[in-house]
Amino acid sequence: MAEHDKMSRSIAAHGLPLAGAHFPPESLDDLRWAALLAGAQANRMSGILVQAIVDGALRATDDQRGEAIEAYIESVGTVLRLERTLLWTIEHLDRAGIDYRILKGAAVAHLVYPDPGWRAYGDLDVLVPSDLFDRAVAVLVAAGGHRHEPQVRPGFDRRFGKGTAIVTEEKHEIDLHRTFAAGLFGLNIKTDDLFATSSAFTVGGETIRALGPEERFLHACYSAAIGDPSPRLMTLRDIAQMLLLGEIDAQRVRTLCDDWRGRAVVDRAIRSTQSTFGLDELPPEWRWTIEHRCTSAEVRALRSYTSERSGGSQALGALGAIRGVRAKLAFLRAMALPQRSFLDRKSNRKNLLRWWGKGARSLRRSFSRPG
Amino acid sequence: MTHVLPDEIDRHFLALARPEVAGIELAGEAVLLDEAGELHLLNSTATIVWHCCDGSASLAEIAAELAISFVAGQNEIERDVIETARQFGRKGLLEGVQAEDP
């Protein structure tokens, strides 16, 4: 592993009860410092970087300290502006009587870390109930936002999608979610479960609702395992923070996870967290998370989230989680024949062609199987 | 609402943070974002004073509390608290205080 990667991981691990952080005993030379600072900024870890310097874990010259604080102030500026957008969002949802749970960045920063300054973020993630999804989009659009992208077909997002992005007049992005992920694993989640509990934090004197601790932990696992082709360092830190320092009911996590058929997702997330932070031993109550043996279908499904050109496989995999022939047909119809406004985007046209190709190959394979 | 000038802030002043000002804290130091989008970095002392600006106590009362907590001379602390509040006022962070032109 490259040295700057190792250092980035040490920054990400700062404050966790783990042995062996790898900071050098002296301050870094200019080149290595520049790489570390860039890594911290790219991973939204400038808050932890400053904290590591303040705690004396990472030695820094006065100039380096100043640069770290400058980077931190810049990231905090973004967060504070997003918090205004957060207040705007919940004001409109509340007024329309739409329940919500704040996900990821904002919620984790306020509820999981010692100070919100530890955890920067670049957009807002808001979960709304599936049956109110279209209304929530309409409310935010009427208030001045606009959809980043049209939906595949009317009603698709509410029934089958992960969600959509709304861009505000200030160009802030609100990821409006219906579930945690697209495709099979997202559709398997019982979205009503997500509103059964909540946690609260305060921004600007307003009480904000977030997911309950166990659902929040599971969401971090879904983000790490299937949110991006490779997991983000800060998301893995979120998992480690909750696992080692959070007050989470491991048994309840297990029950939800089994109910959502998400063991493979949690297994991958925990293994990534372990290897990133050298966390050899899990607390006993969490060992079940890595005892899962993935089925070949789960392996295929996981691969569809992490390979770059996998939209087609992900969509076809989702069919398995859709109940009822009519719903399956509606899904297939939307995927095969999207509405015109969706196709007006070049990237969507390309994805559709790829999906058709994938579907045709799957059909050919099905027909060529002997007896 | 009548506005006082920052330099008119004295020990009897009830400092109240403007609700539009948002803040985040790390290692005891706050970064504030004002309504105009300006960021302000506070040191740890100013952060403590900022947290006390809820309009419920005069600056003299705040200073008295801080003097007990920090085992320090009340006059010295009171001077610092008043000066800090004036700085907040100049930057437009307090209700009822005329900010200085940027």
Side-chain angles (χ1 to χ4, degrees):
Chain A
M1 189 196 307
E3 194 196 351
H4 65 270
D5 281 342
K6 214 187 273 182
M7 291 278 291
S8 283
R9 287 180 184 208
S10 292
I11 296 291
H14 179 70
L16 290 172
L18 294 168
H22 300 287
F23 292 123
E26 300 301 327
S27 56
L28 301 173
D29 59 52
D30 289 350
L31 210 60
R32 290 158 77 213
W33 167 257
L36 177 69
L37 184 63
Q41 285 175 296
N43 286 294
R44 301 199 177 119
M45 299 192 304
S46 47
I48 306 186
L49 176 66
V50 169
Q51 188 70 49
I53 295 171
V54 168
D55 291 345
L58 175 65
R59 297 205 180 258
T61 64
D62 287 349
D63 283 351
Q64 291 170 351
R65 195 187 177 96
E67 284 174 21
I69 290 173
E70 217 169 278
Y72 164 68
I73 291 174
E74 195 185 315
S75 77
V76 164
T78 304
V79 166
L80 289 170
R81 289 179 187 102
L82 282 168
E83 286 195 345
R84 283 190 180 157
T85 303
L86 169 65
L87 293 173
W88 174 89
T89 307
I90 61 150
E91 185 194 336
H92 288 287
L93 293 177
D94 273 340
R95 210 182 289 159
I98 298 172
D99 200 3
Y100 68 86
R101 297 289 183 271
I102 301 300
L103 306 173
K104 294 208 285 196
V108 170
H110 283 271
L111 290 165
V112 172
Y113 286 90
D115 279 327
W118 282 62
R119 174 64 158 93
Y121 49 93
D123 60 8
L124 288 176
D125 294 87
V126 184
L127 179 86
V128 293
S130 292
D131 55 337
L132 298 175
F133 186 83
D134 289 341
R135 221 174 114 216
V137 172
V139 163
L140 296 180
V141 168
H146 68 270
R147 279 187 76 116
H148 185 251
E149 201 165 79
Q151 58 182 332
V152 183
R153 284 188 80 86
F156 182 89
D157 288 348
R158 173 174 43 81
R159 295 179 76 185
F160 310 118
K162 172 189 174 187
T164 192
I166 304 286
V167 182
T168 66
E169 283 170 346
E170 295 80 28
K171 306 274 179 258
H172 288 162
E173 192 166 302
I174 305 162
D175 283 338
L176 200 63
H177 293 248
R178 186 191 73 82
T179 183
F180 288 173
L184 178 72
F185 291 115
L187 285 165
N188 275 337
I189 293 172
K190 294 177 179 159
T191 51
D192 288 348
D193 288 354
L194 304 173
F195 290 87
T197 61
S198 68
S199 305
F201 62 97
T202 308
V203 170
E206 296 291 327
T207 302
I208 315 281
R209 292 189 293 281
L211 291 173
E214 290 78 26
E215 290 84 351
R216 193 183 319 132
F217 176 79
L218 281 167
H219 184 230
C221 289
Y222 276 71
S223 288
I226 55 176
D228 293 294
S230 57
R232 291 181 183 210
L233 205 45
M234 204 61 213
T235 310
L236 296 177
R237 165 64 194 245
D238 292 344
I239 294 173
Q241 183 82 17
M242 289 186 253
L243 200 65
L244 300 173
L245 298 165
E247 287 176 6
I248 301 171
D249 180 345
Q251 189 50 50
R252 187 161 177 269
V253 171
R254 186 175 185 163
T255 305
L256 287 169
C257 180
D258 287 344
D259 226 18
W260 301 348
R261 283 173 276 164
R263 280 282 194 111
V265 176
V266 172
D267 176 272
R268 171 180 278 186
I270 300 295
R271 283 178 193 279
S272 296
T273 307
Q274 282 189 289
S275 66
T276 299
F277 296 116
L279 179 61
D280 298 329
E281 277 291 306
L282 286 175
E285 67 274 23
W286 290 106
R287 288 196 191 128
W288 60 269
T289 55
I290 52 164
E291 286 166 355
H292 180 67
R293 295 282 164 268
C294 282
T295 63
S296 52
E298 283 175 330
V299 170
R300 268 201 310 279
L302 282 174
R303 204 182 299 135
S304 76
Y305 287 89
T306 50
S307 95
E308 289 291 345
R309 299 178 155 205
S310 57
S313 322
Q314 209 179 92
L316 290 169
L319 268 181
I322 297 171
R323 304 242 176 272
V325 176
R326 286 179 109 177
K328 280 184 203 291
L329 287 174
F331 177 82
L332 283 170
R333 181 165 179 250
M335 295 307 294
L337 302 166
Q339 63 179 340
R340 174 127 211 148
S341 56
F342 179 81
L343 285 176
D344 283 345
R345 284 179 175 258
K346 201 176 165 192
S347 58
N348 289 337
R349 275 201 304 275
K350 262 183 168 172
N351 285 339
L352 179 72
L353 287 173
R354 213 177 284 148
W355 190 83
W356 269 104
K358 186 98 189 168
R361 279 195 298 279
S362 293
L363 281 175
R364 268 203 302 277
R365 271 202 302 274
S366 309
F367 285 120
S368 63
R369 269 180 206 143
Chain B
M1 186 184 212
T2 38
H3 282 70
V4 299
L5 295 172
D7 286 341
E8 291 170 349
I9 288 176
D10 62 12
R11 64 194 305 271
H12 305 293
F13 184 75
L14 297 175
L16 176 62
R18 293 188 63 172
E20 303 83 11
V21 179
I24 277 188
E25 215 174 296
L26 181 74
E29 299 189 352
V31 178
L32 305 180
L33 175 73
D34 65 25
E35 206 179 1
E38 288 289 314
L39 291 166
H40 309 274
L41 176 64
L42 310 187
N43 64 22
S44 52
T45 314
T47 301
I48 293 168
V49 176
W50 176 252
H51 284 308
C52 297
C53 293
D54 60 3
S56 67
S58 69
L59 296 181
E61 288 166 327
I62 292 171
E65 288 289 328
L66 293 179
I68 294 167
S69 305
F70 290 101
V71 198
Q74 191 174 335
N75 289 343
E76 194 187 335
I77 294 257
E78 193 173 295
R79 261 199 317 275
D80 287 347
V81 168
I82 292 170
E83 185 45 40
T84 305
R86 287 175 178 170
Q87 292 283 359
F88 291 158
R90 286 183 192 111
K91 292 177 187 305
L93 303 173
L94 295 179
E95 285 282 31
V97 182
Q98 179 72 55
E100 277 181 358
D101 289 335

